[in-house]
């Protein structure tokens, strides 16, 4: 928060007001502004030599067209990854030259370099970038591969806006492949017309599997690392899912607004879980290798592709335009992330990738996630994500926002006798906000929702379930869509540990209940949990497989494999079963005719 305020003081004065600083505050200096520069050319070098030091070498050439110092600034964040990272951290060996003559430079602030041109009209900047962070918003490398984002490597002229074109050239080994959503330009380069597009097209460089096909008439590419990981039948099955989910999502908005789309995936056997980041015509996902063939991989992929409409194009006004020098908090991530997650699973069920039962089980999982987290308002969770709260509410706007979308869908269909739906809302806002070149506001959102529901007011809904912390009224809402909550009493093995993820994504044991099975086996806080029995805990199907394998016989042997101080240990434990009641969603066979129609409409993507 302090950080945010200080950055506002440095750069937050709009250009118009800066002309009259005395009107704004007594002693305000004008916002820093670079000398005008043009014809920016970024050259990126990553090959088997630079890979050894996990370094990407960058050269920036540009022309100077006016007096004063050149100010080159690095972004603080990558849009979509709602956290401040300050990419200047990973820069080293910065030099500025006019021809062969070194130019003087110093720093204006922690992420802005100030270069004195000394009359030079043409300047070359060199720096190295450390590519060692496995994070889809950042840069990472191996001996034969690099991922990087434009936000990491492409500094911009401070105070000169985003409306400048630039080219990118990648130098690499002859046999290595370059994959990016960036537009190809003559001379083996890429070119974009403005800075937003320049930094929204991440790159893969190296030994990858790379192929393409047409989905609904549009070229779609699949780039995966390491080479040889997603191949054969598994790749064909994943391609089949992409071919189904994109048309199901496009049907919501009535268009597919890109010339090509690139799905970029990294598989890593140590990465705990999966994480992906959206862009206008691509996304980058990082997954544990166990995700291959799992419906969770299809769901994350559908989520990221839906973002190409919802957040990259249709976006809250708080984030229009993106700015790169500070955070852009908004209360609307429950729409941008949560409703995207609702549509990810809708796209899977509507295109036949999962069954209706699967969809209801995934939705019940979101209900359980919300029930297990502290009671948190959607708007508060959305604002707070920038500081990564540790109380368990950090990402609750995904599951809870998805459920808010589910409720709105049901209420709109109920109020309109299934003639309109949440699809009507998304398509309507896409037309009236994004297509008109602006972000959406609260008045836009609730106006479209209310009109879709025939004029019904959602003021009370917003106060209770979006701004407020009231529990969602499933017993009243679900029957409107021919669904009900069924409960099962299940027996499952209980170890008595709580876990979290460390910075490399591994699953770490944080605490152990005294007297529990884990305590008696000798498990310690700080151990990295690897396997229970022969089941890897990083496998996306772990929970169900664990319950199926060990949920039967009290006292069965249950080996716990952990890593402690770099050594792998297997601790001997035994199964202790506990009972608990679990809710699931089910179709209600006694639903009335209207409710049954609404249920079918949601699952099939239809209205009447
Ligand atoms: Zn998302």
């Amino acid at each position: 928060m302090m950080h945010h305020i200080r950055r506002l003081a440095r750069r937050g004065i709009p250009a118009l007001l800066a002309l009259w600083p005395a009107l704004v505050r007594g002693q305000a200096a004008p916002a820093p502004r670079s000398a005008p520069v043009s014809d920016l050319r970024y050259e990126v070098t990553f090959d088997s030599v630079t890979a050894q030091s996990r370094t990407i070498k960058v050269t920036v050439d540009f022309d100077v067209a006016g007096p004063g110092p050149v100010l080159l600034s690095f972004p603080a964040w990558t849009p979509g990854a709602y956290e401040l990272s300050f990419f200047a951290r990973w820069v080293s060996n910065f030099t500025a030259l006019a021809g062969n003559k070194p130019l003087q430079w110093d720093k204006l602030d922690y992420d802005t370099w100030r270069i004195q041109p000394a009359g030079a009209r043409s300047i070359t900047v060199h720096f190295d970038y450390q590519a060692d962070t496995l994070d889809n918003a950042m840069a990472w490398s191996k001996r034969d591969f690099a991922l990087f984002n434009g936000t990491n490597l492409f500094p911009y002229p401070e105070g000169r806006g985003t409306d400048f074109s630039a080219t990118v050239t990648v130098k690499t080994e002859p046999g290595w492949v370059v994959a990016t959503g960036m537009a190809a330009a003559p001379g083996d380069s890429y070119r974009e017309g403005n800075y937003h597009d320049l930094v929204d097209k991440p790159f893969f460089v190296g030994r990858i599997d790379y192929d393409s096909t047409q989905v609904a008439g549009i070229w779609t590419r699949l780039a995966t690392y390491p080479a040889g990981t997603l191949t054969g039948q598994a790749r064909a099955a994943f391609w089949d899912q992409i071919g189904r989910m994109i048309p199901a999502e496009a049907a919501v908005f009535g268009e597919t607004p890109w010339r090509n789309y690139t799905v970029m995936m990294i598989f890593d056997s140590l990465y705990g879980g999966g994480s992906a980041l959206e862009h206008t015509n691509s996304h980058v996902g990082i997954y544990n290798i166990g995700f291959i063939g799992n419906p969770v991989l299809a769901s994350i992929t559908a989520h990221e592709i839906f973002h190409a409409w919802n957040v990259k194009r249709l976006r809250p006004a708080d984030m229009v335009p993106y700015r790169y020098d500070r955070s852009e908090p908004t209360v609307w991530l429950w729409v941008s992330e949560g409703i995207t997650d609702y549509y990810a699973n809708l796209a899977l069920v509507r295109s036949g990738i999962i069954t209706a039962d699967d969809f209801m089980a995934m939705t019940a999982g979101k209900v359980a996630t919300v029930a297990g987290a502290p009671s948190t308002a959607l708007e508060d969770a959305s604002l707070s994500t920038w500081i990564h709260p540790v109380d368990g509410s950090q990402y609750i706007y995904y599951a809870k926002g998805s459920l808010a979308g589910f409720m709105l869908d049901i209420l709109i269909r109920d109020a309109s006798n299934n003639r309109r739906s949440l699809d009507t809302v998304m398509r309507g806002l896409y037309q009236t906000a994004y297509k008109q070149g602006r972000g959406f506001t609260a008045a836009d959102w609730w106006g479209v929702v209310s009109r879709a529901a025939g004029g019904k007011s959602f003021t009370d809904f917003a106060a209770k379930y979006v701004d407020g912390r009231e529990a969602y009224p499933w017993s009243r809402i679900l029957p409107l869509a021919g669904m009900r909550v069924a409960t099962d009493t299940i027996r499952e093995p209980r170890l008595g540990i709580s876990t979290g993820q460390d910075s490399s994504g591994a699953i770490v044991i944080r605490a152990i209940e005294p007297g529990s099975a884990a305590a008696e086996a000798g498990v310690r806080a700080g151990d990295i949990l690897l396997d229970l029995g022969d089941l890897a805990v990083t496998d996306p199907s772990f929970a169900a497989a664990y319950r199926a394998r060990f949920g039967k016989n009290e006292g069965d042997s249950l080996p716990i494999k952990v890593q402690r101080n770099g050594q792998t240990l297997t601790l001997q434990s035994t199964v202790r079963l506990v009972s608990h009641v679990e809710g699931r969603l089910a179709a209600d066979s006694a639903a009335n005719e209207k409710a049954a129609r609404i249920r079918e409409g949601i699952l099939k993507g239809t209205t009447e």
Side-chain angles (χ1 to χ4, degrees):
M1 198 62 197
M2 277 305 295
H3 218 74
H4 175 203
I5 290 161
R6 285 177 53 203
R7 293 182 75 81
L8 268 176
R10 180 166 66 84
R11 311 190 200 182
I13 306 164
L16 193 63
L17 290 179
L19 295 174
W20 300 284
L23 291 178
V24 185
R25 19 172 215 154
Q27 301 296 317
R33 195 167 188 225
S34 174
V37 303
S38 61
D39 197 17
L40 280 116
R41 286 150 283 152
Y42 301 90
E43 184 184 277
V44 175
T45 301
F46 178 78
D47 55 29
S48 55
V49 176
T50 72
Q52 288 177 28
S53 55
R54 305 190 80 181
T55 298
I56 298 173
K57 292 192 171 294
V58 182
T59 298
V60 192
D61 288 292
F62 53 88
D63 295 339
V64 184
V70 171
L71 307 178
L72 285 185
S73 202
F74 285 78
W77 66 299
T78 303
Y82 301 106
E83 61 182 3
L84 294 175
S85 300
F86 305 110
F87 299 114
R89 280 183 65 195
W90 289 277
V91 172
S92 62
N93 299 324
F94 187 98
T95 59
L97 302 167
N100 292 324
K101 188 167 91 61
L103 298 176
Q104 279 191 23
W105 61 264
D106 68 351
K107 275 190 162 182
L108 176 74
D109 59 47
Y110 47 73
D111 56 18
T112 306
W113 273 256
R114 173 169 49 194
I115 301 160
Q116 305 296 343
R121 311 300 290 175
S122 181
I123 293 179
T124 301
V125 161
H126 297 284
F127 60 88
D128 294 342
Y129 195 92
Q130 192 71 39
D132 60 359
T133 311
L134 182 52
D135 183 310
N136 41 45
M138 303 200 193
W140 181 73
S141 61
K142 298 280 272 187
R143 287 302 175 96
D144 60 353
F145 175 78
L147 152 72
F148 63 85
N149 285 271
T151 46
N152 313 142
L153 301 191
F154 304 151
Y156 59 90
E158 173 86 41
R160 286 283 168 189
T162 50
D163 203 14
F164 58 89
S165 61
T167 61
V168 176
T169 312
V170 177
K171 290 192 156 179
T172 187
E173 299 291 335
W176 290 6
V177 175
V178 178
T180 177
M182 201 173 277
D188 220 11
S189 67
Y190 303 90
R191 184 173 188 84
E192 294 292 346
N194 66 75
Y195 190 71
H196 296 303
D197 289 333
L198 184 75
V199 298
D200 185 51
K201 317 278 173 87
F203 281 75
F204 277 5
V205 179
R207 289 188 210 278
I208 59 175
D209 289 319
Y210 189 41
D211 58 351
S212 58
T213 192
Q214 289 208 341
V215 175
I218 296 174
W219 280 108
T220 306
R221 310 159 179 156
L222 177 57
T224 57
Y225 177 83
T229 305
L230 184 65
T231 54
Q233 182 51 40
R235 195 174 188 90
F238 187 67
W239 262 124
D240 176 65
Q241 292 177 334
I242 291 173
R244 289 161 177 257
M245 68 177 69
I246 290 178
E249 295 184 341
V252 176
F253 295 95
E255 67 169 11
T256 310
W258 52 76
R259 283 187 302 157
N260 53 65
Y261 191 95
T262 308
V263 178
M264 306 166 79
M265 308 168 94
I266 294 171
F267 294 99
D268 187 276
S269 57
L270 291 178
Y271 196 77
S275 167
L277 182 61
E278 69 277 6
H279 301 282
T280 49
N281 72 338
S282 65
H283 72 263
V284 173
I286 304 169
Y287 308 97
N288 185 274
I289 210 155
F291 274 64
I292 293 173
N294 193 286
V296 176
L297 184 62
S299 179
I300 296 177
T301 302
H303 175 114
E304 302 310 327
I305 295 174
F306 195 82
H307 267 317
W309 290 274
N310 188 35
V311 93
K312 295 311 298 192
R313 290 180 174 82
L314 172 62
R315 193 186 312 154
D318 307 309
M319 295 194 290
V320 177
Y322 285 131
R323 49 181 304 164
Y324 301 92
D325 60 338
R326 63 170 175 89
S327 63
E328 287 192 316
T330 175
V331 297
W332 292 100
L333 291 185
W334 69 276
V335 168
S336 298
E337 291 295 349
I339 285 181
T340 293
D341 217 50
Y342 176 54
Y343 274 101
N345 290 349
L346 283 182
L348 300 192
V349 71
R350 289 174 180 178
S351 64
I353 295 172
I354 61 171
T355 65
D357 284 349
D358 294 334
F359 176 81
M360 286 195 251
M362 287 162 131
T363 305
K366 292 175 181 180
V367 175
T369 298
V370 172
S375 173
T376 309
L378 283 174
E379 294 193 350
D380 297 347
S382 179
L383 287 171
S384 300
T385 192
W386 288 89
I387 60 164
H388 301 326
V390 298
D391 67 350
S393 69
Q394 181 179 351
Y395 295 123
I396 204 64
Y397 53 84
Y398 285 86
K400 194 172 182 178
S402 172
L403 296 172
F406 182 39
M407 283 205 295
L408 288 173
D409 203 0
I410 294 171
L411 291 170
I412 292 165
R413 286 175 184 271
D414 182 65
S416 66
N417 194 22
N418 208 29
R419 285 195 188 86
R420 289 179 295 277
S421 70
L422 193 61
D423 295 14
T424 318
V425 171
M426 301 310 290
R427 190 163 49 241
L429 265 191
Y430 186 80
Q431 291 295 333
T432 57
Y434 165 64
K435 288 282 193 174
Q436 303 304 317
R438 62 189 188 86
F440 72 85
T441 63
D444 293 325
W445 173 264
W446 293 115
V448 175
V449 168
S450 177
R451 281 193 294 281
K456 182 176 148 67
S457 168
F458 283 82
T459 306
D460 190 51
F461 181 98
K464 285 179 174 165
Y465 308 126
V466 177
D467 189 23
R469 292 183 291 276
E470 284 202 23
Y472 286 4
W474 295 119
S475 60
R476 179 168 64 80
I477 299 281
L478 288 175
L480 302 176
M483 297 181 204
R484 64 188 177 86
V485 176
T487 56
D488 302 318
T489 300
I490 55 145
R491 302 245 295 158
E492 64 177 5
R494 184 176 159 77
L495 278 178
I497 54 171
S498 64
T499 58
Q501 271 186 305
D502 73 6
S503 59
S504 71
I507 295 174
V508 181
I509 294 168
R510 301 264 194 241
I512 301 140
E513 246 171 58
S516 64
E520 289 183 3
V523 175
R524 293 186 199 160
D527 287 350
I528 293 172
L529 188 58
L530 302 174
D531 299 344
L532 293 176
D534 56 352
L535 304 171
V537 296
T538 50
D539 189 292
S541 306
F542 169 78
Y546 176 63
R547 187 182 282 177
R549 177 76 55 87
F550 296 107
K552 299 186 190 92
N553 299 316
E554 183 92 11
D556 272 5
S557 165
L558 173 52
I560 304 171
K561 193 196 272 186
V562 300
Q563 199 178 78
R564 180 183 298 164
N565 302 326
Q567 296 206 313
T568 302
L569 307 174
T570 300
L571 306 168
Q572 295 305 328
S573 175
T574 54
V575 170
R576 287 192 201 170
L577 294 176
V578 292
S579 296
H580 79 113
V581 175
E582 197 170 73
R584 63 183 162 83
L585 289 190
D588 185 353
S589 52
N592 65 42
E593 177 271 338
K594 180 185 173 190
R597 278 192 287 118
I598 288 174
R599 183 179 66 220
E600 288 309 295
I602 291 170
L603 296 172
K604 295 205 163 79
T606 54
T607 47
E608 289 149 41

